[in-house]
Amino acid sequence: VDWRDPALFTTSTTITGWSAPLTHGGEPELLTGAQVTATYFATIGARPLYGRDFTADDDVPNAPRVAILAHGLWQRRFGGDPAIVGTSMPIGGAPHTIVGVLPAGVVPVILTDAEIFRPLQLNTADPSRGAIFLRVVARLADEVTIETARARADVKARQLELAYSST
């Protein structure tokens, strides 16, 4: 939340790892996944092949759990059946509705082996200041150089360190 700056970035997303057992549709399998903010696929320039992207309503605390499948998992586990979109299945012990399937060739950022994605559902009203497990990826705004972004990020990091040094 602190890093959102439309003067610097057109879009940004937050990412953290997630792994969960999938028991639906065959033998149990431990999946490597990513929890991401709703802007993840727009930030990396990808759109689902089937279904829909995450919405802001999906990405709030306690929203119903939804997931998007990577193409390889969809092929391997569900035979490439587009009817998987809209179904609910237990993933990691909690029901998730599959809302989308990615096209072949989408390579996730940060967690490049992720096969399943779900919204991070951060509490942005009261974010944890000790959340060092989160990674942020952003697209630079037009006319902004990487050097400018780095310099402003350094200033912002120092401001945050001073403001939250006790947490």
Side-chain angles (χ1 to χ4, degrees), residues 1-2 13 35 69-71 73 79 85 98 105 111 122-123 125 129-130 134 157-158 160 163 167:
V1 172
D2 293 319
T13 188
Q35 294 184 117
L69 306 177
H71 194 270
L73 174 63
V85 174
I98 305 303
L111 301 166
L122 282 174
N123 181 355
R129 296 297 170 174
L134 299 174
R158 284 192 294 282
L160 291 171
T167 59

Side-chain angles (χ1 to χ4, degrees), residues 14 23 43 50 60 62 72 77 91 95 97 126:
T14 305
T23 55
T43 301
Y50 292 104
V60 294
N62 303 313
R77 190 71 185 223
I91 304 171
T97 299
D126 186 23

Side-chain angles (χ1 to χ4, degrees), residues 36-166:
V36 299
T37 51
T39 55
Y40 178 78
F41 292 109
T43 301
I44 70 167
R47 294 182 6 187
L49 175 66
Y50 292 104
R52 66 171 176 84
D53 199 344
F54 296 134
T55 67
D57 290 339
D58 295 327
D59 198 19
V60 294
N62 303 313
R65 283 289 181 190
V66 296
I68 293 177
L69 306 177
H71 194 270
L73 174 63
W74 174 60
Q75 289 288 318
R76 183 181 78 251
R77 190 71 185 223
F78 305 104
D81 184 359
I84 195 70
V85 174
T87 63
S88 180
M89 64 184 68
I91 304 171
H96 287 67
T97 299
I98 305 303
V99 297
V101 174
L102 296 174
V106 172
V107 178
V109 296
I110 306 294
L111 301 166
T112 58
D113 58 346
E115 293 188 289
I116 190 164
F117 303 83
R118 74 177 183 186
L120 185 55
Q121 298 184 347
L122 282 174
N123 181 355
T124 57
D126 186 23
S128 169
R129 296 297 170 174
I132 59 171
F133 58 92
L134 299 174
R135 302 292 181 255
V136 176
V137 174
R139 284 191 175 273
L140 292 176
D142 291 342
E143 310 301 320
V144 174
T145 66
I146 192 71
E147 292 79 15
T148 300
R150 281 188 181 132
R152 286 203 193 158
D154 287 345
V155 169
K156 180 59 129 177
R158 284 192 294 282
Q159 290 170 342
L160 291 171
E161 185 178 3
L162 290 171
Y164 300 104
S165 60
S166 64

